[in-house]
Amino acid sequence: MKIFVAITLIILIIMLIQNKYKASYLFGTLASIYFLFDLVSFEKLMNSYTNISLLTLILLVLVSKALEKTVLLDYFSKIVIKKNYNITFLNLGILTTISSAFLNNTAIVAGLMNTIKNNKYHLPSKLLIPLSYFSIVGGTMTLVGTSTNLLVNGFLTDMGNESLKMFDFFIVGFFIALFCSITLFLVKGLLPEYQTQNSEIEKHLIELQVSKKSSMIGKTVKQNGLRSLEYLFLVEISRDSRIISPIKPDEIILANDKLVFSGDLKHINVLDKFSGLTMIDNVHVKQLNLVDTIIMPDSTIIGEKVKTSKFRSKFDASIISMKRGSQDIKKIGDEIIQSGDRLILAIGEDFYNRDNISKNFYLLSDIKQKEKFDIAKSGFIFGGFLLSLIIAALGFISLFKSIFIYCFILIALKIINIQEIRRVFPYELFITIGSSLVISKVLINSGLADNMANFVTSIFGSYGVYGSFIGIYLLTLLLTEIITNNAAAALSFPIAYATATGLDVNILPFVFAVAFGASASFMMPYGYQTNLMVNSIGGYKIKDFMKIGWIITLVYSSVVIYLVPQIYSF
């Protein structure tokens, strides 16, 4: 059994690293396999999906949708950007860090990144990575600050231990936020300067097809006037399975040629003068209504190929441009959709009426603003949320009951409705975390967690219990950089638990090593969802995260490794 579990675990990690399939599919499939092979009982399987921390997290995600519709984030956006870059940087740091301790950090980043992208004073690339980092370190300060903390708490209670309290993370999290913010301010000169706003043209790749009846057929590129476009540049021609690039002026245009242009989409209408030139979905240029979007972390189409995802029928929209960080995707149809991908969509009349739009996309364009509550209702919603957290923090009732009551009030007052809850319910998160609890049980019960714990102690154990603690933290940090934060916590926790049990010491330092290690994602854009979001908007390269991320990681890790054992002794 142990060998079987080890093999399936290795396969899981490899497939997570490849990032071709949704984490929910992988974790859910593995949990199902363990159940079918009687490695976990039906009762324990159901208990994992009804874990109190998981249910609390689901409720927090649901109520965060009401918080997103308040005018709070709009006010935040107005006070952040100032003419002076240093003041803007400090405003961004203070506001994002504090708010991320209590609110969903993806909502915070989504609410502010469009303001940063469109600001007229500073380059977005000088602010977007800091926005993500501030939200990450801010989320480490409380139990509800990040899904990872709640997930680790779920593992802890699932093993029969007492739940962590709201501010058990605060001391370490506060000093993480303080020192990382100071460091980020000092090294902000390492942030790239990508000219993506104001007078600079933001370029996208656009693919159009020459229809069989086009008057362009049989004429050269020069004769068709494709060499003298002011805002767009013909970069390649795709003909059957052949790519023609660079393109000579005397290249003859043939029927069904796919022409790839690079340029500013605001001026795509210049292509309207070419007869028989249509988008790949046979949409004419003059019919285009464009929307700038980002794929959300819990989108249902992540892991699917564009051409097999039924994109048009699901959303009444076609993808005309796709970016991943600074990379322009050329063969859009063959590309596998990933979280954080930036899509320029040509939308139909029914796009905004679809129930699945807000679940799958962050809308960045100003074509249609989301509905916002007025000041009075926004104050009530935000005040009620803070009150529910305070009541739970003071120990009057559990966090789950407090958030449950708050959610019930929102429904009763019709601030959110059942249909909206059904639309935004985080099925992917629910399956991933519930399944990870199942996998954690199997790792411990099979004895594999003990073997992995012994391996960690054999490497770091020569430095005593403290060395093993550092080993668990470093293992989690490594995993979160190469897969995702929640997946890293799910794989590291049983090893941490077995290590503490084997050494017969207090488990809490090891629990916090996993929690803080799983949030330490600064060197790669893939490990944390806010990094993915800003990666596409800022046009960043991996080296941009690594250049500044390793310094933040070093400071972050130093605080964790020193402070956690001071507060929670072995």
Side-chain angles (χ1 to χ4, degrees):
M1 179 178 72
K2 193 182 298 184
I3 296 176
F4 173 73
V5 174
I7 292 172
T8 56
L9 190 63
I10 292 171
I11 294 173
L12 173 66
I13 294 173
I14 292 173
M15 296 184 79
L16 284 169
I17 293 172
Q18 290 178 338
N19 201 28
K20 290 183 178 180
Y21 304 96
K22 297 179 186 177
S24 58
Y25 288 172
L26 298 177
F27 276 90
T29 299
L30 187 56
S32 300
I33 291 172
Y34 287 162
F35 171 67
L36 292 174
F37 279 81
D38 292 325
L39 297 181
V40 63
S41 67
F42 179 76
E43 181 183 4
K44 289 184 177 180
L45 183 75
M46 290 298 100
N47 287 341
S48 296
Y49 291 101
T50 55
N51 179 277
I52 199 72
S53 290
L54 172 56
L55 297 180
T56 302
L57 176 59
I58 298 301
L59 285 178
L60 284 168
V61 171
L62 295 179
V63 300
S64 72
K65 297 303 176 182
L67 291 166
E68 287 178 33
K69 293 199 291 183
T70 67
V71 295
L72 179 69
L73 288 178
D74 291 341
Y75 283 124
F76 283 177
S77 299
K78 290 177 183 177
I79 65 175
V80 166
I81 304 297
K82 303 296 179 185
K83 288 184 179 181
N84 185 284
Y85 174 65
N86 289 334
I87 294 176
T88 298
F89 197 93
L90 291 173
N91 286 345
L92 182 67
I94 294 170
L95 179 67
T96 306
T97 301
I98 294 174
S99 55
S100 293
F102 302 99
L103 303 177
N104 184 296
N105 55 12
T106 56
I108 297 296
V109 172
L112 292 175
M113 66 182 181
N114 203 32
T115 298
I116 291 173
K117 173 179 174 286
N118 296 319
N119 89 91
K120 60 183 179 181
Y121 299 120
H122 314 294
L123 295 172
S125 61
K126 300 290 285 185
L127 292 171
L128 286 169
I129 281 181
L131 171 64
S132 178
Y133 287 0
F134 285 137
S135 74
I136 292 173
V137 298
T140 65
M141 292 195 288
T142 66
L143 178 62
V144 299
T146 171
S147 61
T148 307
N149 288 354
L150 280 165
L151 172 60
V152 170
N153 188 53
F155 289 132
L156 187 64
T157 56
D158 210 43
M159 299 303 297
N161 298 282
E162 185 179 349
S163 173
L164 297 171
K165 297 180 177 60
M166 177 72 72
F167 291 104
D168 283 350
F169 295 84
F170 184 75
I171 297 177
V172 178
F174 172 79
F175 283 103
I176 285 174
L178 177 63
F179 287 114
C180 287
S181 297
I182 292 173
T183 303
L184 194 53
F185 182 81
L186 294 175
V187 301
K188 64 183 184 299
L190 296 176
L191 292 165
E193 297 183 359
Y194 294 142
Q195 303 288 335
T196 57
Q197 94 280 23
N198 297 338
S199 60
E200 295 294 325
I201 295 174
E202 184 172 3
K203 294 184 178 180
H204 294 266
L205 290 183
I206 315 135
E207 187 175 22
L208 295 96
Q209 189 166 23
V210 179
S211 67
K212 294 180 180 179
K213 296 181 180 180
S214 174
S215 61
M216 301 173 67
I217 297 172
K219 297 178 183 178
T220 66
V221 168
K222 185 176 181 179
Q223 288 170 339
N224 277 305
L226 294 173
R227 301 285 292 183
S228 56
L229 298 175
E230 185 176 357
Y231 299 103
L232 299 172
F233 178 73
L234 183 61
V235 292
E236 73 175 36
I237 298 175
S238 177
R239 183 174 296 159
D240 297 325
S241 59
R242 187 162 62 98
I243 299 296
I244 303 172
S245 181
I247 302 168
K248 297 178 181 179
D250 58 355
E251 183 69 45
I252 303 292
I253 299 296
L254 304 181
N256 296 321
D257 276 354
K258 295 175 182 177
L259 311 182
V260 179
F261 295 89
S262 174
D264 186 0
L265 289 179
K266 294 176 183 176
H267 301 281
I268 194 174
N269 59 336
V270 301
L271 298 176
D272 186 38
K273 64 182 181 182
F274 299 101
S275 68
L277 195 59
T278 65
M279 307 303 296
I280 301 304
D281 279 356
N282 293 320
V283 178
H284 197 276
V285 172
K286 66 181 180 182
Q287 298 173 317
L288 293 178
N289 189 4
L290 303 180
V291 177
D292 195 354
T293 68
I294 294 287
I295 294 290
M296 290 181 63
D298 55 351
S299 172
T300 58
I301 56 174
I302 291 174
E304 297 184 23
K305 277 190 177 182
V306 172
K307 65 183 178 183
T308 58
S309 66
K310 299 180 180 178
F311 198 95
R312 180 81 189 182
S313 60
K314 285 181 179 178
F315 308 114
D316 190 29
S318 298
I319 304 172
I320 69 167
S321 176
M322 185 174 187
K323 280 177 175 275
R324 183 168 298 144
S326 60
Q327 178 189 6
D328 285 296
I329 305 299
K330 292 184 178 180
K331 296 183 178 180
I332 295 176
D334 295 328
E335 192 64 29
I336 294 175
I337 300 169
Q338 296 183 17
S339 175
D341 283 349
R342 184 179 180 186
L343 310 180
I344 305 296
L345 304 180
I347 64 171
E349 294 180 357
D350 196 44
F351 177 80
Y352 287 114
N353 296 323
R354 300 291 175 97
D355 291 338
N356 56 358
I357 299 304
S358 62
K359 184 178 178 64
N360 288 278
F361 307 103
Y362 288 115
L363 302 184
L364 301 175
S365 71
D366 296 325
I367 294 174
K368 185 178 176 83
Q369 294 293 328
K370 292 183 179 180
E371 176 191 354
K372 293 288 183 180
F373 295 123
D374 57 30
I375 296 176
K377 189 172 286 187
S378 296
F380 173 80
I381 294 169
F382 187 66
F385 179 69
L386 286 181
L387 181 62
S388 65
L389 294 183
I390 292 170
I391 290 173
L394 294 175
F396 293 119
I397 56 176
S398 68
L399 177 62
F400 172 76
K401 289 182 179 179
S402 180
I403 299 297
F404 180 83
I405 293 171
Y406 174 66
C407 188
F408 180 82
I409 292 173
L410 292 180
I411 296 172
L413 296 176
K414 297 182 179 180
I415 293 173
I416 55 177
N417 54 54
I418 300 300
Q419 182 181 2
E420 190 173 11
I421 289 175
R422 187 165 56 246
R423 187 170 66 245
V424 302
F425 189 89
Y427 296 101
E428 307 288 333
L429 188 65
F430 176 76
I431 294 172
T432 299
I433 293 182
S435 301
S436 68
L437 289 166
V438 175
I439 294 169
S440 179
K441 287 188 179 78
V442 172
L443 286 178
I444 292 174
N445 294 337
S446 67
L448 182 61
D450 288 326
N451 294 132
M452 298 172 77
N454 291 334
F455 178 73
V456 171
T457 53
S458 67
I459 297 176
F460 297 93
S462 58
Y463 299 97
V465 176
Y466 188 62
S468 298
F469 160 78
I470 294 175
I472 293 296
Y473 171 78
L474 294 177
L475 171 65
T476 312
L477 185 150
L478 176 63
L479 285 174
T480 201
E481 291 290 10
I482 61 176
I483 45 179
T484 65
N485 56 331
N486 286 331
L491 296 175
S492 295
F493 183 87
I495 303 172
Y497 192 88
T499 301
T501 304
L503 294 171
D504 194 24
V505 295
N506 182 13
I507 62 171
L508 286 182
F510 291 85
V511 170
F512 284 109
V514 172
F516 289 119
S519 289
S521 180
F522 303 103
M523 291 187 289
M524 290 287 178
Y526 314 113
Y528 208 89
Q529 53 200 19
T530 58
N531 284 347
L532 278 169
M533 291 163 65
V534 302
N535 181 49
S536 291
I537 293 296
Y540 293 115
K541 303 176 178 66
I542 292 178
K543 68 177 183 180
D544 297 324
F545 283 88
M546 296 189 70
K547 187 186 296 184
I548 195 169
W550 76 269
I551 302 173
I552 304 301
T553 300
L554 185 61
V555 173
Y556 181 107
S557 300
S558 299
V559 174
V560 173
I561 290 171
Y562 174 75
L563 270 186
V564 169
Q566 302 297 321
I567 298 169
Y568 296 97
S569 60
F570 297 113

